Amino acid sequence: MDVDDGPRTPNPLEKEEERRNFRRIECAFKYYKKHSLARISKTEAFMSSLPERHQEMLEKYKQHLGTIRQCIEKNEKIINLIIRDVNWMFVNIHPDNADDLDSNINHSSNVSNDLERVQTTLKQLVRDWSSEGAKERMMCYQPIIDELLRTFPQNLCDPANIKVLVPGAGLGRLAFEIARNGYECQGNEFSLFMLFASNFVLNRIHEVNAYELFPWVHQNCNILKGESQTRSVLFPDVNPSDLPSSTFSMTAGDFLEVYVEPEQWDCVATCFFIDCAHNIVSFIETIYNILKPGGVWLNLGPLLYHFADNANENSIEPSYEVVRDIIEKVGFQIEKEDTNVSTTYSQMQESMLQQEYKSVFFRCRKPAFQQNGHAHPEKNSAGQKRSIQDT
């Protein structure tokens, strides 16, 4: 899988900004152990300042913190594998002399947010690539896969000729499963946190349950038993390399910038994605544009609106009622809809706090005919895309 600059060529300032962003995120991964252990040390220092009788009563908790330290050390081994070859992951980014990583991250205004996203990436490995995540995948991915199979039944078409795009693919499991059903599938992802980890899983792992991870050690609230926080998870639950390379690919980049060629895809499948937009209308219009006439959009997810509470970002947050109206105004025909699909996201099963979305699932179709009744010609030219190199 290769990466180029897509349909536009960034100017030198944009390239420098991309390089700095790349290094910042690499730095966040490298800083994981130092930051995580520093937090444990802070807690231990506070405990040592408490009255001795309190410290005696907290002896079991003190031992638990020592176990968490060991788990962090083991997680660091996974982190090192994830970032080991990221400098060569993108063919349009050439390795350069490493910056002063500690200096970079200490001067970044996004330190806490970046490190939290590293922790989220570890939990995403559980969701997408472990047997423990199977329940969530059944909730979130299976309705899309089942509907794809109904829409393009394998006894009536050659799935290898059906092109499916999965924007916001994360660590790639939904796209992987679609390809495993025989369809030609491409995942698209913007987040470098996700791309670093998906590169490791999809391009570097060739056996089942090869790695051990401790994903819950940073979840300190609503813990019923300490052993739940330090429980390990094995991944991946399938062999990620067990697919013909011709049927599955991943691309990197902004969905709106990468996918500009019209009428390229038979199906666009979105899961927990459309609320990632600053302007959800632009997402809907782009999906409509890139679908072939008669193509289908499958969607499942809530409307969390990622930029809604960020004072530094512009965002609109229309209700689903308004979004539904926009979908129809853009030109889609809504063929199936369920506004009460129970889903969770990277949920710790033993947590005292259990959160659940009532997600929306729908199937929309782009009309196969123009208003004048003539069939829309299909185009087969492939647009330029950014992708990940399998080195």
Side-chain angles (χ1 to χ4, degrees):
M1 298 180 280
D2 302 324
V3 167
D4 54 46
D5 287 328
R8 67 175 185 87
T9 302
N11 62 45
L13 290 177
E14 289 176 319
K15 286 186 177 181
E16 176 61 18
E17 180 62 27
E18 287 184 357
R19 190 192 71 84
R20 289 181 178 275
N21 183 54
F22 186 96
R23 289 301 183 199
R24 176 176 62 83
I25 294 171
E26 180 187 11
C27 182
F29 277 95
K30 289 187 176 182
Y31 199 66
Y32 164 81
K33 176 181 173 180
K34 182 177 180 180
H35 169 81
S36 300
L37 293 181
R39 190 191 187 286
I40 300 298
S41 296
K42 181 180 178 182
T43 302
E44 291 172 335
F46 175 63
M47 285 178 58
S48 67
S49 71
L50 300 178
E52 286 190 12
R53 68 181 187 278
H54 292 182
Q55 294 187 46
E56 291 174 0
M57 288 186 281
L58 287 167
E59 182 60 31
K60 186 176 181 179
Y61 178 60
K62 181 179 179 180
Q63 294 173 4
H64 177 67
L65 292 178
T67 304
I68 289 180
R69 279 184 173 273
Q70 296 172 11
C71 295
I72 291 170
E73 295 276 358
K74 293 177 181 178
N75 279 350
E76 174 73 358
K77 296 179 181 178
I78 302 297
I79 295 287
N80 288 336
L81 290 172
I82 288 174
I83 62 174
R84 183 173 59 183
D85 62 352
V86 293
N87 286 333
W88 293 269
M89 185 171 68
F90 303 107
V91 297
N92 63 331
I93 297 178
H94 298 288
D96 52 14
N97 292 328
D99 297 326
D100 184 341
L101 294 175
D102 283 339
S103 174
N104 278 353
I105 198 160
N106 289 331
H107 287 85
S108 169
S109 61
N110 299 313
V111 173
S112 296
N113 181 60
D114 286 348
L115 291 167
E116 182 178 337
R117 293 185 70 183
V118 172
Q119 296 168 8
T120 298
T121 301
L122 297 180
K123 290 191 286 187
Q124 191 77 10
L125 284 168
V126 176
R127 172 182 168 87
D128 264 23
W129 293 103
S130 78
S131 57
E132 181 163 325
K135 182 179 179 180
E136 281 196 355
R137 294 196 299 273
M138 184 62 64
M139 291 178 171
C140 301
Y141 298 164
Q142 200 60 45
I144 292 175
I145 295 169
D146 290 344
E147 194 61 40
L148 179 67
L149 291 167
R150 282 190 289 265
T151 305
F152 301 98
Q154 299 188 352
N155 62 329
L156 298 178
C157 69
D158 181 357
N161 293 329
I162 303 299
K163 295 179 61 178
V164 183
L165 174 66
V166 181
L171 298 191
R173 184 61 181 263
L174 175 58
F176 174 89
E177 292 296 336
I178 290 172
R180 193 151 73 157
N181 276 280
Y183 300 95
E184 180 184 342
C185 188
Q186 182 171 98
N188 165 244
E189 180 56 52
F190 178 74
S191 167
L192 283 172
F193 294 94
M194 295 291 103
L195 289 166
F196 283 10
S198 64
N199 175 62
F200 168 59
V201 173
L202 296 171
N203 289 333
R204 301 292 174 259
I205 300 180
H206 305 284
E207 56 185 304
V208 174
N209 290 334
Y211 299 98
E212 183 181 34
L213 184 68
F214 297 82
W216 314 117
V217 290
H218 307 290
Q219 190 161 322
N220 299 302
C221 300
N222 295 306
I223 302 298
L224 190 62
K225 296 181 179 180
E227 60 195 41
S228 299
Q229 191 179 11
T230 56
R231 181 171 55 82
S232 68
V233 175
L234 296 177
F235 76 98
D237 62 323
V238 296
N239 183 350
S241 64
D242 190 21
L243 274 181
S245 59
S246 59
T247 64
F248 177 45
S249 61
M250 285 282 287
T251 67
D254 187 318
F255 171 65
L256 297 178
E257 295 180 357
V258 173
Y259 295 95
V260 296
E261 290 290 330
E263 302 178 5
Q264 296 296 304
W265 300 92
D266 298 287
C267 178
V268 174
T270 53
C271 185
F272 281 70
F273 171 70
I274 60 174
D275 55 359
C276 297
H278 294 272
N279 174 10
I280 195 171
V281 183
S282 62
F283 270 20
I284 296 170
E285 286 184 333
T286 297
I287 292 169
Y288 186 89
N289 181 57
I290 65 177
L291 278 171
K292 299 175 183 178
V296 170
W297 174 23
L298 305 176
N299 175 77
L300 188 147
L303 291 175
L304 185 59
Y305 288 120
H306 290 209
F307 301 105
D309 299 319
N310 190 329
N312 298 319
E313 299 282 357
N314 293 317
S315 176
I316 58 172
E317 301 90 31
S319 67
Y320 177 67
E321 180 183 34
V322 174
V323 171
R324 191 185 193 281
D325 184 54
I326 294 167
I327 289 171
E328 293 185 319
K329 285 180 177 177
V330 166
F332 279 110
Q333 298 170 344
I334 299 177
E335 298 180 333
K336 183 177 288 190
E337 183 180 44
D338 185 349
T339 59
N340 192 31
V341 181
S342 296
T343 56
T344 59
Y345 197 93
S346 296
Q347 185 83 273
M348 179 184 182
Q349 294 178 3
E350 303 93 342
S351 173
M352 297 165 67
L353 175 64
Q354 297 292 318
Q355 294 180 312
E356 184 178 86
Y357 295 100
K358 295 298 183 182
S359 292
V360 172
F361 173 78
F362 58 70
R363 182 184 73 196
C364 298
R365 190 178 298 274
K366 180 176 181 176
F369 296 91
Q370 294 179 326
Q371 291 182 354
N372 60 13
H374 296 294
H376 223 300
E378 294 190 4
K379 298 180 181 179
N380 296 317
S381 59
Q384 290 179 304
K385 299 177 178 65
R386 306 176 61 160
S387 48
I388 302 174
Q389 166 106 12
D390 185 359
T391 55

